[in-house]
Amino acid sequence: MKPGSRFGGWAGSLTAVLLTAYPANRLSAQDTSAIDRGVRIGIVYRPGVRPGMVVLPVPKAALDSVRALVVRDVDYSDRFEPITLPGGDSIRAASPPSSPSAGRTATGAGGGARGTGGAAVATGLNYPLYQALGADFVVGITPAAGDSTVVTVYDVAAGGVRRELRARLPALGDAGFRLAVHRLADRVLEASLGVGGTAATRILFVMNGKVYTIDQDGADQRLVSSSDHQAMSPAWAGDGRRFAYMEFWEGHGRLFVQDVASGKRAPVVTTGQALDFTPAFSPDGKTLAFSRAIEEGTDVYTVNVKDGCCLQRLTVGRFYDNLSPTYSPDGRRIAFVSTRPGLPQIYVMSADGTDQQLFAPFDYGATGSSNAPEWSPDGQTVAFHRDVGGTLQVFVLDVRTRAVRQLTSVGRNEDPTWAPDSRHMAFVSDRSGYRQLWIIDVETGRIRPLLQQSGARLPAWSPRLPETASSAP
Amino acid sequence: MKRLPLLLLTGLAVVPIAACGGKPKPETPAPAATANTDSIEAAERARADSIARAEKEARDREAAEREAQQRRADSLAALGRSTEAVRTLLATMIHFDYDKALIRGGDASVLDQKMAILQANPALHIRISGHCDERGSDEYNLALGNRRATAAKQYLVSHGIDASRIETVSYGEERPIAQAHDEEAWAQNRRDEFEILAGGENLKQP
């Protein structure tokens, strides 16, 4: 409220309106279908309140798409409250992102530019105005010489420019355009909060027996599996350049590794006519762990995909099954599913198969089946789904304390996959009436649908994608 | 399930008798006696009906199984010793309980028929594919379907069929035959399918 008192008239009343319209009630651990969007008034880094961010209108129509993508990425990061500018013109006038015409700025806001640093004077940003709007950061997107784009991140509290990011964006409509803008949005996040974003990522999933990829914001869905064989269980390599998946062939199941850029694929060297499924790359990308079903049961194996050799069997469960391996990010352990307690539950072992033990605790005879574990990229948690009263719910296991927390409760929720920030998660849910993919922010419980198509399942969230992975199929 | 209605109705049948016995001698015995007889008969009828109702589900299931086996035997007889008849018999699916891979009692006889066919046709090679319903986890169902296919194979092998004549595979929940999302469809989808891989050109009836 402090800044509001410095302004006359509309700024104060605006503050009051915004405060009453959006009571701060964040920090819910459970998921909520209510999408919480809007404006927040506050000072930076208050616990439970996210910093506000304004992405300024762009001076050039060609940059509208860039701005729209960045705004959405900022929103989906769940790290900021994206602040939409009310009133339009007066604010627009108050924020000439490139020109140093500070005079218009002053008249527009009526409060005078009280910039504390030289940068503020040079750019003409009216810091007190944005402070009054609840913004902690302001982002300006401007064209620069030689087809490049400059993104300026202003720190409102410090009253200066936090960082200037320069990028050469492909033309709108080019295959690499969206990923390049997403990467820029991630750099904005990095510049303002010092944390990595997830905008430049994609999610693989299976629909009608085919593997698809989609950007994390729900755009640019593409078919990536090229055969008529029914596919399952896509899994990314840690470099984001390859992924593995399984296909049903005549009487058995085969694993393939496909190159993202070229779309070319190669079968994984395996022996015999077994049913191989649920591939998972080791973090160094050299080893593929997978499940193999043979007559004596299903067990976890590894194969060296770099040299195409060295099949190793990690589990021997003659009267029970072991499946669905997932590596810890340091590559030293593998979490997996084992039916040794009678029902499938989450176990863990060393990457060489030794020291097998229960991972996610359960009450014998009371806890339902637990399946589909995925180790988070920060190594701290393992997500999985568990049968609760006849339907499936997503859980997370704290690796250090081995405490288990239920994350979802609405409908049937399964097959969680972590975003590279270890904070967002994609999963399959039928909460909207049919099974499709959703994304949840584990910190706030905010949830959004990834796509609006029935039948999407078995999602796999990519790591942060490298530049070369952006080419079209 | 069965005991409760039976006890209740026995009680109902006794009550009218006791009530009538406690009355003084009636002036018009004939209607009263008629009434008594009626009520006991009605109670017994009701009791019988109730037992029938209580056991209906179990009986129906047994009857359906007997009928199915009878139909299989009848159809075989009607079709004669044709290859087609043996093929049909061989293709009969077996079904499983939710999240289980145990051969049901009724399905053992179905497997016995397949065993007889395999013994009568030494060149015959088959593949058993295990399937699941959509309720379980997608990937876990591949392991479960594998158990189901293997359970049938082990039954046949333990009864003297050469293991090399039988392949197994699992399709998990990926190839449902009933598309609905209810218990009836799920029960149909929890199954083993049997297909001929080789030696199925001229099949002898066992």
Side-chain angles (χ1 to χ4, degrees), chain A residues 276-307:
Chain A
D276 293 339
F277 60 104
T278 60
F281 279 97
S282 64
D284 64 9
K286 290 178 188 161
T287 306
L288 197 69
F290 60 96
S291 317
R292 167 169 289 183
I294 56 173
E295 267 167 44
E296 62 182 73
T298 302
D299 277 296
V300 176
Y301 290 71
T302 55
V303 66
N304 182 330
V305 282
K306 185 166 171 279
D307 306 321

Side-chain angles (χ1 to χ4, degrees), chain A residues 230 233 294-295 385 412 457, chain B residues 137-139 146 153 174:
Chain A
Q230 224 173 331
S233 308
I294 56 173
E295 267 167 44
H385 68 235
R412 171 180 164 137
R457 61 198 191 110
Chain B
S137 302
D138 298 5
E139 288 161 340
N146 183 59
K153 173 167 179 176
E174 306 303 310

Side-chain angles (χ1 to χ4, degrees), chain A residues 252-458:
Chain A
H252 60 289
R254 299 181 76 178
L255 300 178
F256 291 87
V257 172
Q258 184 161 325
D259 183 70
V260 172
S262 69
K264 290 204 175 89
R265 68 175 194 170
V268 172
V269 177
T270 50
T271 54
Q273 295 277 296
L275 173 66
D276 293 339
F277 60 104
T278 60
F281 279 97
S282 64
D284 64 9
K286 290 178 188 161
T287 306
L288 197 69
F290 60 96
S291 317
R292 167 169 289 183
I294 56 173
E295 267 167 44
E296 62 182 73
T298 302
D299 277 296
V300 176
Y301 290 71
T302 55
V303 66
N304 182 330
V305 282
K306 185 166 171 279
D307 306 321
C309 77
C310 316
L311 183 71
Q312 263 192 311
R313 181 172 177 175
L314 299 191
T315 63
V316 183
R318 192 160 169 71
F319 300 104
Y320 50 86
D321 294 324
N322 301 289
L323 62 148
S324 298
T326 174
Y327 276 92
S328 64
D330 63 7
R332 286 156 72 179
R333 288 194 286 174
I334 294 174
F336 63 105
V337 170
S338 181
T339 61
R340 66 192 72 181
L343 285 177
Q345 294 293 346
I346 311 299
Y347 280 69
V348 68
M349 60 183 166
S350 297
D352 61 359
T354 60
D355 195 21
Q356 299 184 12
Q357 53 173 291
L358 181 69
F359 208 8
F362 66 97
D363 291 331
Y364 195 85
T367 306
S369 300
S370 306
N371 272 292
E374 188 176 300
W375 213 306
S376 67
D378 66 4
Q380 291 179 12
T381 52
V382 173
F384 60 98
H385 68 235
R386 179 172 271 179
D387 189 321
V388 179
T391 193
L392 302 178
Q393 300 298 346
V394 174
F395 285 71
V396 285
L397 164 73
D398 186 304
V399 168
R400 196 175 52 80
T401 65
R402 307 233 168 152
V404 167
R405 181 164 70 101
Q406 183 174 344
L407 208 64
T408 61
S409 53
V410 183
R412 171 180 164 137
N413 305 283
E414 58 192 306
D415 289 318
T417 176
W418 288 105
D421 63 358
S422 298
R423 169 175 167 152
H424 290 85
M425 187 192 278
F427 61 101
V428 182
S429 178
D430 67 356
R431 60 185 62 214
S432 59
Y434 53 89
R435 279 190 209 179
Q436 62 150 333
L437 302 183
W438 291 74
I439 287 175
I440 186 171
D441 172 25
V442 174
E443 301 271 317
T444 63
R446 182 183 165 194
I447 185 166
R448 64 176 166 100
L450 176 63
L451 70 171
Q452 307 284 355
Q453 276 167 297
S454 175
R457 61 198 191 110
L458 299 169

Side-chain angles (χ1 to χ4, degrees), chain B residues 32-43:
Chain B
T34 311
N36 281 353
T37 311
D38 281 353
S39 93
I40 290 166
E41 276 174 7

